[in-house]
Amino acid sequence: MIEQAYVQADDKTAPTLKEIRDRISTAVDATEGTALERLKCWLQMPVDSTFAKMVDSDCQVRAKRVGGLLSPGAGGLYDPSDLSVGIGVPAKWTAIDKAVKAERAVYVNGSTGHVGGAQSKFNNERNAGFHVIVFLAVGKESDGRGYYLGLDPDVSATTEARAAWKALVAGDTETKPQDFTAAKSLEVVKSMILGSAEGGFGPLVRKYYIDTSKAFPKIIRA
């Protein structure tokens, strides 16, 4: 699994954290459709707060739509060549750096247990199947270690994401996404992605520390 960490307010990325936050906020506000359609556009959700079942497994479709909405740069969403193929790996990541710096989200497809979160409902013993997230920026820690800022719409991905979801639907353990009002859907999406702290992000946006010299593990078809 790719090592992941949560964003800190003083992290330096290109584009900047503020630019990414503004881009996400604008796109979420502009998302058309019903409350449920907005939720399903941005979030891969459980049917209720027990996490016993997810609403869908459409990560590929969702990543393409979300990535397109978050790609104001010329060329739109950037879809790199297969990251599990070993040939030209460093060059692929150089191209990804160029894309995110040009305000293009990057479609990142990998095996379920590699690109997903540690608590994802989709994890399995064989690591079969795939998951898709989007990268929005590139950054570097003070010690020089590089990372990518990624959005993983999977609400079940981490302990923190699950806790945030439960807090948002507190009061009724069987609260269902289809019952949310338009205002509630907007609150939920923004809370999960942008969080509540100015300059920060919610649990669905994380830092991904990639070894850009190595290919991703091969995807095992379920």
Side-chain angles (χ1 to χ4, degrees):
M1 180 174 292
I2 299 171
E3 181 184 346
Q4 301 170 31
Y6 283 106
V7 182
Q8 304 301 311
D10 59 351
D11 283 333
K12 305 298 182 186
T13 63
T16 67
L17 296 183
K18 183 180 185 307
E19 289 169 338
I20 295 297
R21 280 182 58 85
D22 289 348
R23 193 192 306 174
I24 292 172
S25 183
T26 298
V28 171
D29 285 340
T31 304
E32 299 180 347
T34 65
L36 182 59
E37 286 168 345
R38 177 193 281 122
L39 287 163
K40 291 178 70 174
C41 171
W42 290 96
L43 306 178
Q44 192 159 19
M45 307 172 290
V47 297
D48 58 47
S49 62
T50 68
F51 287 90
K53 182 181 178 181
M54 303 297 277
V55 171
D56 62 56
S57 56
D58 297 335
C59 63
Q60 191 172 29
V61 173
R62 183 174 291 104
K64 287 183 177 179
R65 184 176 181 190
V66 166
L69 292 171
L70 297 178
S71 297
L77 176 67
Y78 180 67
D79 187 355
S81 57
D82 192 343
L83 295 171
S84 68
V85 173
I87 299 173
V89 171
K92 293 176 187 177
W93 287 103
T94 297
I96 288 172
D97 287 9
K98 182 179 179 180
V100 294
K101 290 176 181 177
E103 296 190 325
R104 300 177 66 187
V106 177
Y107 180 90
V108 179
N109 184 15
S111 61
T112 300
H114 186 62
V115 303
Q119 300 300 318
S120 176
K121 180 71 175 174
F122 300 101
N123 289 343
N124 59 84
E125 290 184 0
R126 292 181 58 235
N127 191 27
F130 66 90
H131 186 54
V132 187
I133 60 178
V134 295
F135 282 172
L136 301 170
V138 61
K140 187 174 288 187
E141 303 287 13
S142 58
D143 61 3
R145 190 182 189 200
Y147 61 85
Y148 291 87
L149 190 71
L151 167 60
D152 178 5
D154 179 10
V155 171
S156 75
T158 66
T159 300
E160 294 84 358
R162 288 176 176 237
W165 177 267
K166 288 182 178 181
L168 287 165
V169 300
D172 183 354
T173 57
E174 293 303 319
T175 297
K176 296 175 174 61
Q178 60 265 34
D179 296 330
F180 290 172
T181 64
K184 182 66 173 179
S185 73
L186 189 63
E187 175 197 355
V188 169
V189 172
K190 287 194 172 182
S191 293
M192 293 302 299
I193 299 177
L194 297 176
S196 56
E198 183 65 30
F201 285 92
L204 300 188
V205 176
R206 301 186 290 275
K207 297 190 285 189
Y208 293 76
Y209 299 91
I210 306 288
D211 184 344
T212 57
S213 68
K214 296 180 179 179
F216 277 11
K218 293 289 185 182
I219 294 173
I220 300 172
R221 300 299 172 182

